[in-house]
Amino acid sequence: MIAVYKRELSACFKGMPGYLFTAFLLLFTGVYVMVYNLSGYSANFEYALSAVSFIYMIAVPVLTMRTMAEEKKQKTDQLLYALPLRMSQVVLGKYLALCTVLLIPCLVMAAYPLLLSLWGTVNLPTAYGALIAFFLLGAALLSVGMFVSAMTENQVASAVITLICMLILYLTGDLAAYLSPMSRASLIALCIAVAVLCALLYLLCRNLITSLVLCVLGVIAVYWYYVAEPLVFYGLFANILRSLSLFDRFYTFINGVFDLRHAVYFLSFAAVFLLLTVQALEKRRWAE
């Protein structure tokens, strides 16, 4: 795993992705620190992090687009399959390399609250709690980019799909406010969600019968529960979206609340997508 980690970290900085990712984060963080903190005479460094979090929508696709897709394109993924390592170790090695690239600008950002404290009173626990959450948010989003890269063979396609995923995740909390709270609307949305999850299962296992059976059973179960408890479905899907929103949980740290439940959610979110990435690679490995 260490060899995979070193190889991936070296690849990030031999080309442009690692430098572009670091430059994007530091450039926009510097701009927002200047606007919010220096020009705005505010000591709240966490506000700059809140504003700059949108840059993940661009930076994450840039960093992750080549992680797996380029291996497939150049057929070097065969070397990974030949290694005396489990796919979980290969994925974890690559993921830790990406997290290391993310950690570099975060360590640079760690100096900002100390510099700001020279000209005012900075709430350091809140500032550094927000910075830790910023890193965890980025780590969770990187796992999504890795999964998308593992499902595609083209870097451009990987970047575009990851960008769409980042946009959806960024807007999840806001979209929930525009959804109809009616029970029937939640029923339809949940049935669509079941179908999407089963389609993802099909892409991972290529078992059409199993995917269709689970889809039908899932829709029947949702409808049966709707018939039995229709009031439960009032505003249910919107509440689910809010509870799943990564960025809404990040904003909790911005408000000065270091909630360990949200930190665990970020880590659990990353773990789920890493498991999906392992499954995607295992499917390809045995298919070849």
Side-chain angles (χ1 to χ4, degrees), residues 53-54 56-57 137 141 166 169-171 244-252 266:
S53 61
F54 83 94
Y56 276 139
M57 289 192 293
L137 171 64
L141 296 176
M166 296 298 105
L169 290 172
Y170 185 75
L171 297 176
L244 293 177
S245 175
L246 287 170
F247 285 87
D248 282 359
R249 291 173 183 269
F250 169 64
Y251 297 144
T252 301
F266 288 137

Side-chain angles (χ1 to χ4, degrees), residues 24-259:
F24 271 136
L25 284 186
L26 292 180
L27 173 62
F28 280 89
T29 302
V31 169
Y32 279 102
V33 166
M34 182 180 67
V35 172
Y36 280 91
N37 302 124
L38 299 181
S39 299
Y41 300 102
S42 172
N44 299 101
F45 172 67
E46 58 273 14
Y47 292 168
L49 289 178
S50 175
V52 83
S53 61
F54 83 94
I55 199 61
Y56 276 139
M57 289 192 293
I58 302 173
V60 169
V62 168
L63 184 61
T64 61
M65 64 181 182
R66 51 157 298 281
T67 308
M68 299 295 181
E70 185 66 11
E71 299 275 9
K72 294 179 184 179
K73 182 179 178 181
Q74 297 182 356
K75 302 301 181 181
T76 54
D77 57 335
Q78 300 299 323
L79 297 176
L80 295 178
Y81 300 149
L83 291 174
L85 296 172
R86 296 189 297 272
M87 278 297 103
S88 58
Q89 293 175 303
V90 172
V91 170
L92 188 58
K94 285 179 169 286
Y95 178 68
L96 290 178
L98 297 181
C99 288
T100 301
V101 176
L102 171 61
L103 183 62
I104 293 172
C106 287
L107 290 176
V108 176
M109 294 178 203
Y112 293 173
L114 297 177
L115 293 174
L116 292 174
S117 65
L118 297 176
W119 293 280
T121 303
V122 179
N123 189 330
L124 293 180
T126 299
Y128 285 112
L131 184 58
I132 292 173
F134 184 79
F135 173 79
L136 293 176
L137 171 64
L141 296 176
L142 286 174
S143 67
V144 178
M146 274 193 67
F147 172 65
V148 173
S149 184
M151 296 293 291
T152 57
E153 296 186 14
N154 185 282
Q155 290 192 53
V156 176
S158 175
V160 172
I161 296 173
T162 303
L163 176 61
I164 294 172
C165 292
M166 296 298 105
L167 184 61
I168 293 173
L169 290 172
Y170 185 75
L171 297 176
T172 296
D174 295 330
L175 290 174
Y178 294 98
L179 293 177
S180 172
M182 300 304 294
S183 298
R184 183 170 295 181
S186 293
L187 169 65
I188 295 172
L190 286 172
C191 289
I192 294 174
V194 170
V196 170
L197 290 175
C198 290
L200 177 60
L201 177 64
Y202 170 72
L203 291 175
L204 290 173
C205 66
R206 294 295 179 182
N207 191 320
L208 181 60
I209 295 178
T210 300
S211 301
L212 286 176
V213 169
L214 289 177
C215 182
V216 172
L217 292 177
V219 171
I220 291 175
V222 170
Y223 184 75
W224 175 82
Y225 192 59
Y226 168 75
V227 173
E229 298 287 347
L231 293 179
V232 174
F233 279 72
Y234 187 83
L236 177 61
F237 191 70
N239 292 333
I240 291 175
L241 285 183
R242 291 190 189 95
S243 65
L244 293 177
S245 175
L246 287 170
F247 285 87
D248 282 359
R249 291 173 183 269
F250 169 64
Y251 297 144
T252 301
F253 293 87
I254 299 301
N255 295 327
V257 180
F258 193 92
D259 195 330

Side-chain angles (χ1 to χ4, degrees), residues 1-17:
M1 188 180 75
I2 300 299
V4 175
Y5 167 80
K6 290 180 178 179
R7 176 178 177 272
E8 186 65 27
L9 188 60
S10 174
C12 287
F13 288 104
K14 279 185 177 179
M16 293 300 294

